[in-house]
Amino acid sequence: MFQPGRRKVILSGGIGGAALLLGGERAEAAPAKGCTFDVAPLEPEPLPPDLTAPAQLARLDGFDLWYWDTGGSGPAIILLHPSTGSGHIWGYQQAAFAAAGYRVIGYSRRGHRGSSAMNAERPGTSADDLRQLMDHLRIERAHLVGSAAGGFTAASFALTWPARVRTVTLACTLLSADPRVLALMPSVREPWWKGLPHEFQELSPSYRGINKEGEALWKSLYAQSRGDHPPGNQPAGEPATVAAIARLTMPALFISGDADLITPPPVARLFANTVKGSELVVLPECGHSAYWERPALFNQAILDFLKRRLA
């Protein structure tokens, strides 16, 4: 059994595959003979259920944020979307986390579908916008789950207002433009990279090969993710550099996909080795959109983490 503060390698059969879990400060090499994975072919994930939680606008300090909220008396989980998404992408997570007893909130950052456009003269930060939304919803502390660009916001918020964060999950994310991180992903800085379709950049070959319906819906949600707003990302707040995240003291989980072309596992491994007592889960045959490609494994990794670290 995993024990916080110790580093172990656990290969566990999961739903449709296996997940590699690392926790603690140093990794021990696992014997090759123990690295057995389910060799059965992946089955396409069913399309996500519709979002059913009530949605509305939070009118904050000169801007609006579109959000949905399942309500309930359980601890709050706030979902922070990637740059290619919006608050509409969390169909796989909303019902699953609510069924586990949590109050689940998803929202669109400024410049994304349903929320206000960014104001170049007064852009604010996405971390402070999150603070204002939590104040608006009267949420003092929350579990934060950030994917990709949403991880920038989650980590910056956790650095600035640590007392308001129960746990933080950072999935498939760079966290900041730290040179140590960029050195591990040279391809994304090449001119040809920007010409690749987003679904090629973000969805694994396995997913694109077996789930054409899911790929089409992902592309549709991406096409709608900005609404009528022009492209561009709001500043996150305090940069979550490698040096900065060493200050994080709340329980932290890093999630990576083994086929992530943007933030491959060495990036998440660097973060997990930096944040004392953190954990790392690597999802098999999974690209940059882990919440979408392997939702059952993604959700279970987070729920198991919350149960284990808050027991």
Side-chain angles (χ1 to χ4, degrees):
M1 180 178 295
F2 175 78
Q3 299 177 9
R6 296 182 61 189
R7 173 70 77 164
K8 281 189 135 182
V9 178
I10 302 172
L11 287 173
S12 60
I15 303 170
L20 175 63
L21 169 64
L22 302 177
E25 297 182 0
R26 295 189 60 188
E28 302 169 0
K33 64 182 180 181
C35 298
T36 57
F37 288 84
D38 187 348
V39 295
L42 291 177
E43 296 294 332
E45 290 281 353
L47 294 180
D50 292 335
L51 296 174
T52 58
Q56 52 192 303
L57 284 179
R59 301 193 178 279
L60 305 175
D61 184 16
F63 61 94
D64 299 336
L65 293 182
W66 179 92
Y67 74 95
W68 51 259
D69 182 356
T70 64
S73 59
I77 292 179
I78 301 179
L79 304 173
L80 299 148
H81 65 79
S83 180
T84 48
S86 69
H88 294 261
I89 65 171
W90 301 110
Y92 287 117
Q93 284 71 44
Q94 185 185 92
F97 292 154
Y102 293 93
R103 176 185 178 184
V104 193
I105 296 106
Y107 73 100
S108 295
R109 294 190 299 278
R110 275 196 262 182
H112 291 262
R113 180 179 173 186
S115 293
S116 293
M118 288 186 295
N119 183 339
E121 296 181 357
R122 193 187 174 197
T125 67
S126 59
D128 191 62
D129 286 2
L130 173 57
R131 178 193 62 80
Q132 292 190 51
L133 179 62
M134 289 176 64
D135 290 346
H136 176 81
L137 296 175
R138 299 182 179 179
I139 296 172
E140 181 59 32
R141 300 179 70 215
H143 301 286
L144 302 184
V145 176
S147 178
F152 284 51
T153 301
S156 181
F157 184 94
L159 288 168
T160 308
W161 294 283
R164 303 194 67 174
V165 181
R166 293 178 181 269
T167 67
V168 61
T169 296
L170 302 166
C172 306
T173 180
L174 304 176
L175 298 187
S176 72
D178 189 304
R180 290 180 62 184
V181 177
L182 296 180
L184 296 172
M185 35 174 290
S187 295
V188 301
R189 291 176 288 158
E190 297 292 338
W192 52 264
W193 174 263
K194 293 184 178 179
L196 297 176
H198 279 284
E199 63 271 19
F200 183 90
Q201 295 178 3
E202 301 210 15
L203 299 175
S204 69
S206 291
Y207 187 85
R208 288 183 282 111
I210 68 171
N211 202 332
K212 297 301 183 184
E213 283 189 307
E215 179 185 0
L217 182 55
W218 185 95
K219 290 167 65 176
S220 175
L221 288 169
Y222 161 63
Q224 302 173 64
S225 64
R226 297 284 177 170
D228 296 327
H229 304 316
N233 288 314
Q234 182 185 30
E238 178 178 352
T241 62
V242 174
I245 65 171
R247 306 197 323 255
L248 295 176
T249 58
M250 71 286 295
L253 171 66
F254 295 92
I255 296 178
S256 179
D258 67 355
D260 187 342
L261 296 179
I262 300 176
T263 51
V267 173
R269 192 173 297 116
L270 171 63
F271 297 150
N273 284 331
T274 300
V275 180
K276 186 176 181 180
S278 65
E279 301 178 26
L280 167 62
V281 172
V282 178
L283 302 183
E285 295 189 69
C286 181
H288 192 59
S289 295
Y291 69 93
W292 186 266
E293 298 178 62
R294 306 302 304 271
L297 286 177
F298 180 88
N299 295 349
Q300 196 61 53
I302 294 172
L303 291 173
D304 287 350
F305 165 70
L306 296 181
K307 182 179 180 180
R308 182 169 58 252
R309 300 306 290 270
L310 298 177

